[in-house]
Amino acid sequence: AQKITQTQPGMFVQEKEAVTLDCTYDTSDPSYGLFWYKQPSSGEMIFLIYQGSYDQQNATEGRYSLNFQKARKSANLVISASQLGDSAMYFCAMREGRWDSGYALNFGKGTSLLVTP
Amino acid sequence: EAQVTQNPRYLITVTGKKLTVTCSQNMNHEYMSWYRQDPGLGLRQIYYSMNVEVTDKGDVPEGYKVSRKEKRNFPLILESPSPNQTSLYFCASSMVRPDGASGAEAFFGQGTRLTVV
């Protein structure tokens, strides 16, 4: 079964507007971590933001914030004030289980974001 | 500068010719792993290592080998490459921390685009 679901294959947003990229996850483990990565056309994977399952507050990093709704098992990425350089593929990922074994990241299939002038 | 370095960035090879993709990190991370990225399939883990001389299979290990003789290096070896191993490969490293603790994010190398003909 898919552990991470990103339902939006592609999104458009106008420059300076905010955009929300959806991510839902599936786990029965009480301990897990949620990540967002950005992959520009050059191919590298850039870490954006992290949310632990026990974190009480939503994570924020500059223009990025993670809307963590634990009961709904969703971890949406919000990008405020979009910039042209935000155009990229965005991946949601989850790590679950014991932190001292496995430690694999399960990735969603990604959302392609295009920021228009 | 903290980084994960993969080499080569691009490689075209022929079926059956052994090759090694190197990965090195300068952050003293315990955990290192290899992923492959294929269109429509996202990123899938090949092998991982929790520390020196400790390696284990990920989701798609067939046709690959790894070694971890030093903490900083984690090479990926394809003994007899086949066309179905044509893919974009990523090495990643991170500290080993309980979920919820800081420093849990994985840092990725620049990627190696491999074509096997």
Side-chain angles (χ1 to χ4, degrees):
Chain A
Q2 190 79 7
K3 287 187 178 285
I4 295 286
T5 302
Q6 295 180 252
T7 56
Q8 307 150 314
M11 293 274 290
F12 290 91
V13 66
Q14 206 156 18
E15 203 176 3
K16 297 178 187 162
E17 292 190 348
V19 63
T20 298
L21 306 184
D22 294 341
C23 173
T24 57
Y25 59 92
D26 181 24
T27 182
S28 56
D29 202 300
S31 177
Y32 54 90
L34 297 157
F35 303 76
W36 278 92
Y37 285 87
K38 171 184 177 182
Q39 187 177 41
S41 58
S42 51
E44 69 266 34
M45 294 288 285
I46 302 167
F47 167 74
L48 295 178
I49 197 165
Y50 166 77
Q51 180 89 40
S53 58
Y54 298 116
D55 293 345
Q56 296 293 317
Q57 293 192 325
N58 287 344
T60 59
E61 290 284 350
R63 294 186 299 112
Y64 304 107
S65 60
L66 199 153
N67 184 0
F68 182 44
Q69 298 193 36
K70 199 168 182 177
R72 294 186 178 184
K73 294 188 176 178
S74 75
N76 299 339
L77 177 70
V78 181
I79 306 174
S80 62
S82 298
Q83 301 171 357
L84 295 178
D86 293 334
S87 294
M89 185 71 84
Y90 289 80
F91 290 95
C92 180
M94 176 177 68
R95 187 184 61 233
E96 59 184 333
R98 285 183 59 83
W99 58 275
D100 55 351
S101 66
Y103 225 58
L105 288 172
N106 292 293
F107 283 84
K109 291 190 166 42
T111 296
S112 178
L113 177 67
L114 182 62
V115 181
T116 59
Chain B
E1 181 192 351
Q3 58 185 4
V4 179
T5 304
Q6 290 178 233
N7 279 297
R9 293 288 309 277
Y10 301 92
L11 179 60
I12 301 174
T13 191
V14 296
T15 299
K17 185 177 181 182
K18 180 180 178 179
L19 67 92
T20 299
V21 183
T22 63
C23 174
S24 180
Q25 51 95 2
N26 63 1
M27 295 168 279
N28 203 34
H29 286 167
E30 300 95 342
Y31 183 83
M32 297 185 75
S33 62
W34 278 100
Y35 293 85
R36 60 178 288 173
Q37 183 180 17
D38 302 291
L41 297 176
L43 281 87
R44 295 175 293 167
Q45 192 184 49
I46 303 170
Y47 266 95
Y48 66 92
S49 169
M50 297 298 290
N51 215 321
V52 175
E53 302 292 2
V54 180
T55 64
D56 209 342
K57 297 176 181 177
D59 295 325
V60 288
E62 293 76 22
Y64 305 95
K65 284 175 55 177
V66 293
S67 69
R68 187 93 181 270
K69 293 185 169 56
E70 307 163 280
K71 198 171 187 179
R72 63 182 293 128
N73 295 324
F74 191 46
L76 179 70
I77 303 155
L78 285 72
E79 295 270 4
S80 183
S82 62
N84 65 12
Q85 293 177 297
T86 293
S87 187
L88 177 60
Y89 291 86
F90 287 101
C91 178
S93 77
S94 65
M95 289 190 285
V96 177
R97 292 288 184 271
D99 279 309
S102 62
E105 66 270 25
F107 292 85
F108 282 77
Q110 319 94 301
T112 295
R113 195 167 291 280
L114 173 66
T115 302
V116 184
V117 298

